[in-house]
């Protein structure tokens, strides 16, 4: 019992959340295996686990729709254990990255470098989710660490764009990080990369302008985050030469694409409606695709409970809830991002779910303009099929 006389709720997954820390250890395991055996296969562990083992475990172990009681939320959010798990990712992330960069620049051949690239890319790509979790916190340390987690993938502008752009415009045609029905991932990728970068710079320019400061002021959060990347990349280049820079640039591109394929999955075809005054309705659980697959949620700080995250952005990962009215993905993110790489398969699986979620009403979907006529016919035929 606590001081108020209420029973102390125990999180059944409390210690399982630390499994996410195995991810940044993978490049370190790769280096140890190489030192011991001279073989590079250890650096392939990260992509194999991300693309094959986690989806298989999601399928075998299944989902968990249970929620913590509302009375336990303050208790969960006050428990520093969860915060320290997130913090711990970052030193392990940097250790694995720096060790792999050193081997790639000094010892590894072409195949070893490729293996190291994928290993670092997936650890640092998942590290963006660490930056995402910390970026929603209000204390200065968490915000600093959020930028630090984003530095290895040169995606520091995400800190600004996600919190002050994406969360405001999510599930609208104006949001570069919300994918449209009929839009393939490969068409979405350049749109979101360029659009998010422009948005972050404009958001920060406006913020600094309100303070009477110019864009190039040292208090610019985008420039601060990019400076961390310059220090990391520049330091490695100074010590290890240009091969280290080339390695870091390529793994950054691969790692940031991991974020963007998740962005593609999270809001595909979903649209917030406008009221009579032309204002978008408040973001609700129905505006994000949700998944309760246990293994991916443990690795990604329950990012798959994305519906609750957007409805309540400041809620800590351990307290996020399942909502019965949120649209559900057929599998976890690890499986869905693989599907997204193959547009015909993605459309076959997800388009019927978009139609069903919007109850066959074409006007309620966020549709790519170039596919509007074709998809309007698809909605109509789907409605006729249901009514028949």
């Amino acid at each position: 019992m606590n001081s108020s006389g209420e029973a102390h709720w125990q999180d059944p997954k409390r210690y399982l959340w630390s499994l996410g820390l195995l991810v940044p250890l993978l490049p370190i395991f790769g280096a140890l295996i190489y030192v011991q055996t001279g073989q590079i296969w250890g650096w392939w562990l990260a992509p194999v686990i991300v693309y094959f083992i986690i989806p298989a475990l999601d399928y075998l172990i299944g989902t968990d729709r249970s929620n913590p009681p509302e009375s336990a939320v303050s208790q969960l959010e006050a428990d520093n254990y969860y915060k320290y798990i997130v913090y711990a990712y970052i030193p392990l992330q940097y250790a694995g990255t720096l060790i792999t960069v050193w081997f790639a620049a000094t010892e590894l051949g072409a195949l070893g470098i490729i293996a190291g690239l994928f290993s670092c890319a997936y650890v640092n790509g998942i590290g963006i989710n660490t930056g995402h979790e910390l970026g929603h916190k209000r204390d200065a340390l968490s915000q600093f660490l959020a930028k630090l987690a984003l530095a290895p993938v040169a995606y520091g502008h995400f800190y600004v764009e996600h919190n002050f752009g994406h969360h405001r415009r999510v599930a609208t045609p104006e949001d570069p990080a919300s994918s449209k029905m009929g839009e393939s991932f490969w068409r979405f990728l350049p749109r979101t990369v360029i659009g998010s970068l422009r948005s972050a710079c404009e958001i920060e320019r406006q913020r600094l302008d309100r303070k009477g400061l110019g864009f190039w002021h040292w208090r610019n959060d985008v420039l601060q985050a990019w400076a961390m990347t310059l220090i990391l990349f520049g330091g490695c280049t100074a010590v290890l030469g240009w091969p280290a820079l080339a390695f870091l640039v390529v793994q950054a591109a691969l790692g940031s694409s991991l974020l963007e394929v998740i962005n593609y999955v999270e809001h595909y075809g979903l649209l917030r409606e406008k009221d009579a005054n032309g204002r978008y309705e408040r973001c609700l659980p129905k505006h994000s695709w949700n998944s309760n697959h246990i293994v991916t949620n443990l690795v990604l700080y329950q990012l798959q409970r994305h519906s609750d995250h957007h409805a309540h952005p400041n809620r800590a990962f351990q307290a996020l809830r399942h909502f019965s009215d949120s649209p559900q993905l057929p599998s976890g993110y690890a499986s869905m991002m693989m599907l997204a790489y193959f547009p015909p398969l993605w459309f076959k699986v997800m388009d019927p779910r978009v139609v069903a979620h919007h109850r066959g009403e074409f006007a309620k979907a966020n549709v790519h303009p170039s596919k509007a006529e074709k998809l309007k016919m698809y909605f109509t035929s789907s409605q006729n099929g249901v009514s028949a």
Side-chain angles (χ1 to χ4, degrees), residues 301-330:
Y301 310 128
Q302 216 156 216
L303 179 67
Q304 296 180 131
R305 288 197 166 180
H306 211 60
S307 296
D308 195 15
H309 169 68
H310 268 282
H312 304 91
N314 293 323
R315 184 175 283 247
F317 77 89
Q318 65 270 22
L320 291 173
R321 299 156 296 177
H322 162 75
F323 290 96
S324 58
D325 60 342
S326 62
Q328 299 296 308
L329 292 169

Side-chain angles (χ1 to χ4, degrees), residues 158-178:
F158 173 83
Y159 170 83
V160 171
E161 161 56 21
H162 178 82
N163 290 289
F164 305 106
H166 177 58
H167 270 269
R168 180 168 56 87
R169 297 181 298 231
V170 63
T172 71
E174 292 79 26
D175 180 32
S178 293

Side-chain angles (χ1 to χ4, degrees), residues 189-298:
L189 183 59
R191 179 173 74 83
T192 188
V193 169
I194 296 169
S196 295
L197 178 61
R198 287 175 175 169
S199 175
C201 291
E202 179 60 21
I203 289 168
E204 197 62 2
R205 185 196 64 76
Q206 292 178 8
R207 183 184 74 86
L208 292 169
D209 186 61
R210 290 193 296 269
K211 295 178 177 292
L213 303 174
F215 179 83
W216 298 103
H217 196 274
W218 66 268
R219 290 173 62 183
N220 184 318
D221 283 326
V222 173
L223 298 183
Q224 287 179 10
W226 287 347
M228 293 180 182
T229 298
L230 287 175
I231 292 170
L232 174 63
F233 286 24
C236 289
T237 304
V239 174
L240 297 169
W242 294 108
L245 178 61
F247 181 94
L248 286 166
V249 169
V250 174
Q251 68 82 34
L254 292 171
S256 59
S257 74
L258 193 65
L259 161 73
E260 297 302 359
V261 74
I262 296 300
N263 274 339
Y264 177 80
V265 169
E266 288 172 336
H267 305 284
Y268 178 76
L270 303 180
L271 180 67
R272 287 155 56 195
E273 296 184 57
K274 288 185 177 181
D275 61 20
N277 297 316
R279 292 190 295 262
Y280 285 110
E281 64 181 316
R282 184 173 69 87
C283 187
L284 299 170
K286 67 180 181 178
H287 297 125
S288 306
W289 289 100
N290 203 66
S291 173
N292 290 294
H293 286 79
I294 295 171
V295 176
T296 305
N297 267 333
L298 289 172

Side-chain angles (χ1 to χ4, degrees), residues 26 30 40-50 111-112 114-116 118-119:
L26 294 175
I40 63 170
W41 63 266
W43 275 302
W44 288 108
L45 287 172
V48 168
I49 287 172
V50 169
L111 290 178
I114 293 171
F118 279 99
S119 188

